[in-house]
């Protein structure tokens, strides 16, 4: 088996197992790493085998490898997630935000809950016109101790999420918390649903667009990065 065939086989396996692939054969001779964040963000506990999940223990090492790989020029993040484990989602978002390579995200379908920090963690973000973002308070499953410390922990975690979002887009933390606690939109819950242009109008997402826009923007940013580095 030749080197090219081995690379294609490895790429096919990564796509099947992790939803990740390298886009090497393009018109601008850039190597783009494609990261898909779909379904539910799986944390320290395994979810049911029938659930579509993104496993943070797969994503974090891969992002470290991408950062250290001189052959990767940029990262494209595709998002269609219902949210999930807060700590794991924030860990992935922090890793993406700290990459030295140009990064672009595209919200397809939805990027809810902890998916919001993931969507804004890149250098530039897009959402399709029908894409949605749900912003709601932090929840805990399982046994919850009814003590002041529990509610302080909830508040602290929400502040961490709002602070991260604020530092990576144009919306203020106060506005994020206001949308989290909205009582007029969801029938059985607190929160806010933003669709396409609304997410842009709030300053969370940079622009409404699709895959063509996201790929073009990433190629442009890679060229700019190369120019800056000389």
């Amino acid at each position: 088996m030749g080197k090219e065939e081995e690379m294609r086989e490895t790429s096919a396996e990564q796509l099947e197992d992790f939803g990740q692939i390298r886009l090497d054969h393009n018109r601008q001779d850039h190597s783009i790493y494609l990261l898909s964040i779909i379904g539910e963000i799986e944390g320290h506990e395994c979810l049911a085998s029938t659930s579509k999940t993104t496993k943070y223990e797969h994503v974090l090492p891969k992002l470290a490898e991408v950062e250290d790989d001189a052959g990767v020029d940029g990262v494209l993040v595709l998002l269609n997630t219902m949210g999930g484990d807060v700590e794991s989602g924030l860990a992935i978002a922090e890793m993406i935000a700290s990459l030295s390579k140009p990064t672009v995200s595209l919200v397809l379908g939805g990027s809810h809950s902890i998916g919001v920090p993931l969507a804004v963690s890149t250098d530039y973000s897009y959402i399709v016109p029908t894409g949605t973002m749900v912003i709601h308070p932090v929840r805990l499953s399982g046994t919850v101790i009814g003590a002041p410390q529990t509610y302080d922990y909830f508040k602290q975690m929400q502040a961490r999420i709002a602070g991260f979002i604020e530092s990576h887009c144009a919306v203020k933390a106060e506005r994020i918390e206001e949308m989290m606690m909205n009582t007029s939109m969801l029938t059985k819950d607190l929160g806010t649903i933003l669709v396409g242009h609304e997410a842009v109008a709030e300053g969370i997402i940079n622009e409404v667009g699709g895959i063509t826009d996201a790929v073009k923007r990433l190629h442009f940013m890679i060229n700019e990065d190369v120019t800056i580095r000389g």
Side-chain angles (χ1 to χ4, degrees):
M1 186 183 292
K3 189 174 181 181
E4 270 193 35
E5 289 179 343
E6 284 183 11
M7 288 176 67
R8 277 197 296 268
E9 189 172 309
T10 301
S11 183
E13 287 174 359
Q14 283 195 334
L15 181 60
E16 184 178 350
D17 294 341
F18 309 122
Q20 302 167 9
I21 193 172
R22 270 174 71 157
L23 309 176
D24 291 314
H25 306 288
N26 55 65
R27 286 171 289 182
Q28 298 206 36
D29 199 30
H30 295 151
S31 180
I32 295 172
Y33 187 77
L34 174 65
L35 171 64
S36 298
I37 298 178
I38 60 171
E40 189 168 355
I41 310 299
E42 188 174 89
H44 303 296
E45 296 182 7
C46 292
L47 298 172
S49 59
T50 53
S51 300
K52 288 284 186 183
T53 62
T54 295
K55 301 177 186 295
Y56 85 110
E57 71 269 26
H58 292 164
V59 176
L60 296 184
K62 197 64 203 178
L63 288 173
E65 182 183 349
V66 165
E67 174 62 25
D68 199 45
D69 189 344
V72 176
D73 300 305
V75 179
L76 176 62
V77 182
L78 300 183
L79 290 146
N80 190 0
T81 176
M82 59 187 289
D85 187 281
V86 171
E87 298 287 354
S88 301
L90 271 181
I92 296 172
E94 290 282 11
M95 282 284 280
I96 294 172
S98 64
L99 289 172
S100 65
K101 326 243 177 188
T103 56
V104 171
S105 65
L106 173 60
V107 175
L108 300 158
S111 190
H112 304 163
S113 191
I114 200 62
V116 179
L118 287 164
V120 304
S121 65
T122 54
D123 300 320
Y124 203 87
S125 57
Y126 287 91
I127 186 170
V128 295
T130 57
T132 59
M133 307 188 84
V134 178
I135 301 169
H136 62 69
V138 172
R139 306 183 185 93
L140 284 182
S141 58
T143 302
V144 177
I145 300 173
Q149 291 89 335
T150 301
Y151 299 102
D152 288 342
Y153 176 67
F154 272 35
K155 189 174 180 180
Q156 184 185 73
M157 189 173 287
Q158 284 185 187
R160 287 168 58 201
I161 294 168
F164 181 91
I165 295 170
E166 179 185 47
S167 65
H168 290 88
C169 65
V171 70
K172 296 296 184 184
E174 293 79 11
R175 177 58 181 153
I176 289 290
E177 291 177 0
E178 183 183 330
M179 287 189 283
M180 281 181 177
M181 306 310 292
N182 181 22
T183 60
S184 64
M185 188 168 284
L186 301 176
T187 56
K188 294 183 178 180
D189 199 0
L190 301 176
T192 301
I193 302 171
L194 301 174
V195 181
H197 291 276
E198 294 172 339
V200 176
E202 286 287 353
I204 297 174
I205 298 295
N206 291 115
E207 198 174 332
V208 172
I211 187 65
T212 300
D213 304 292
V215 171
K216 279 183 179 178
R217 169 66 64 167
L218 187 53
H219 281 304
F220 172 77
M221 290 166 62
I222 291 169
N223 286 329
E224 290 285 294
D225 188 56
V226 170
T227 302
I228 291 170
R229 286 185 292 166

